[in-house]
Structure formats: structure tokens, C-alpha cells
Amino acid sequence: MAARGLGSDSFGGYRARLVEDLRAKGIRDLAVLQAVGEVPRHLFVPDVLTHQAYDDTSLPIGHGQTISQPSTQALYLQALELSGRGRVLEIGTGSGYQAALLARLSPDVVTIERLGPLARVAKEALAAAGVRNVLVITGDGTIGWRPLAPYEAIVVAAAGPSVPAPLLDQLEDGGRLVAPVAQGRAQSLVRVTRRGETFEREDLGPVQFVPLIGRHGFPREAADEGKPRT
Ligand code: SAH
């Protein structure tokens, strides 16, 4: 790994350029832009890809998974409209980068990853980046994490056939959930806002994510064997 620690590395100029890039692409939420400007993304990508860490692109992180494109993640975070006070749940830790961004926008973040080796590496990267308010859990995120529910916001970083029902159940009143939902080969980003027992749903446009695999997602064989997902 290259230089470590928040703000104590030589990548500040690259981060500033990425922030400008995101601004030019329409990200307006200042807290989100500030988080991108502060979190050392290079600690969350494989060493051989350090030189691409601040490009606005998704990158492979092993086990067939990817760290998402920063502009997509920023769009997500903006759509969550976080108050800065509530607890947030993330499904699909992957590299841990988005959890690190969330950790600058919320006092308390829970993130769930189904692949043990990725969860371990993410934990290490979060520690290296000095992030302390993220709880990393290994398991099936489609059932959520009831012990710490309800959540002000839930972000799903993998595309399932529908929004997992247990997650809607774990949203607080007024809470927001953002998730990619697959429709055949296409996917769209959906935002759900809870109003009592009513769930308002908005479509935020097309996206491209790896499959959400689990009890309320796709079956494991479909994705692990690379079969078409329909
Ligand atoms: N937010 C991540 C990118 C996530 S990629 C980042 O910033 O790097 C999506 C991740 O979701 C993958 O790591 C994949 O293993 C995980 N995933 C897929 N289905 C899951 C499930 N049911 N529960 C938890 N994680 C899941």
C-alpha cells in the first residue's frame, strides 16, 4: 500500500481534481463533495491500481467485484439526503470506500458484505484510513441488520430483482433507501422514502452494478457461474 492516513498523503491534488470532476458532472451536495475530497480512495483499491484511484471509474477489487465509479457513488450519497445525525446501513461493503464516505456524513455506519475475504480487506483499509465509526459485518445483507435498526438511510450497492422487503422494514419513518433494481439486463436506481407504512418510490435513472446475491436477491448459482440474470 502507498501512503496512509487521512490528509497525510501526497494524493490531495488528485482528490481535488476528482471533486472538480464530480462537480462538473452535476454533484451539488457540498458535504458529499467534501467527503470525496477527504477520503483516501487509493487505500481502497489494489496496489497495482493506485495510479487510477482518483479517476472517475469503477475498478476491480477481486472476487469478481468492483469498487463503484465515484460519480455514481456521489449521486447515491446525494440522493440519501443525510441529516448528519442518523445511523446508516450499507449493503455491499466491497472495498469499504463508500462506507468511508458514509462515515464522514453520518456518525454511525453499519455495512454488510457477503464475501468474507472482501470484508476483511475492507476492514483493514478502513482502519488504515483512520475510520472508526463503521461496523463491518460478514453475511447476507438482503435481510438487513435488525439489532441496530431502524436506519435513517439504507444504501444498496448491488442490483437485485427487487428492493429487499426486510430493508424497507428497517427504515425509520421519513427514512430513505437507494438501491439499483434489475429489470432484465437493464438496471435502474430507485429511491424509496418511508412515510409510515407507505413507501414512495422514485426512479433516478439507469445504472450498472454487480448482482445482489442472497435470500431477497438473486440465487448464488446465477451470478457465481456467470449465467445471464433475468
Ligand atoms: N460499495 C462498494 C462497492 C460494492 S460492489 C465500494 O465502495 O467498493 C457490491 C458488493 O456487494 C460486492 O462486494 C458484493 O460481494 C456485495 N454483495 C452482493 N450481494 C450481497 C449481499 N446479499 N449482502 C452483502 N453484500 C453483497
Side-chain angles (χ1 to χ4, degrees):
M1 289 261 171
R4 289 173 178 277
L6 208 55
S8 62
D9 59 50
S10 52
F11 292 85
Y14 293 99
R15 277 194 291 278
R17 206 184 54 191
L18 176 58
V19 168
E20 285 319 308
D21 199 2
L22 299 188
R23 215 192 281 274
K25 288 175 178 164
I27 303 300
R28 291 281 168 266
D29 186 319
L30 293 178
V32 171
L33 292 169
Q34 190 176 351
V36 172
E38 290 172 348
V39 173
R41 191 171 189 253
H42 62 280
L43 298 182
F44 296 88
V45 305
D47 284 351
V48 292
L49 297 174
T50 300
H51 63 290
Q52 282 179 275
Y54 295 99
D55 293 349
D56 185 26
T57 169
S58 62
L59 295 168
I61 54 171
H63 304 275
Q65 308 303 322
T66 52
I67 177 172
S68 315
Q69 189 174 358
S71 51
T72 305
Q73 290 181 317
L75 194 71
Y76 250 73
L77 296 171
Q78 185 166 268
L80 290 176
E81 294 174 355
L82 297 175
S83 70
R85 292 184 297 278
R87 181 178 288 140
V88 178
L89 175 67
E90 179 192 38
I91 313 304
T93 314
S95 67
Y97 175 67
Q98 181 149 278
L101 292 175
L102 286 167
R104 302 198 72 71
L105 301 167
S106 154
D108 199 2
V109 179
V110 180
T111 181
I112 310 178
E113 170 57 52
R114 66 177 276 266
L115 299 173
L118 283 183
R120 272 195 295 283
V121 172
K123 255 189 220 173
E124 285 170 16
L126 286 163
V131 178
R132 292 192 177 79
N133 52 335
V134 176
L135 173 65
V136 181
I137 292 163
T138 304
D140 177 7
T142 65
I143 58 171
W145 185 250
R146 211 167 274 286
L148 293 173
Y151 300 94
E152 180 196 8
I154 300 180
V155 45
V156 186
S162 59
V163 176
L167 300 184
L168 294 176
D169 200 41
Q170 291 172 32
L171 258 191
E172 67 182 31
D173 196 9
R176 286 82 56 207
L177 172 148
V178 177
V181 175
Q183 293 146 330
R185 286 177 174 278
Q187 297 174 6
S188 58
L189 191 61
V190 166
R191 175 168 61 187
V192 179
T193 305
R194 181 172 197 165
R195 308 249 178 247
E197 289 314 304
T198 307
F199 295 89
E200 292 171 9
R201 191 179 161 123
E202 299 156 82
D203 193 330
L204 304 181
V207 283
Q208 196 61 56
F209 277 84
V210 298
L212 180 71
I213 299 165
R215 199 185 314 167
H216 299 269
F218 288 108
R220 182 153 56 125
E221 313 76 55
D224 288 356
E225 292 168 20
K227 289 181 193 153
R229 300 169 268 120
T230 45

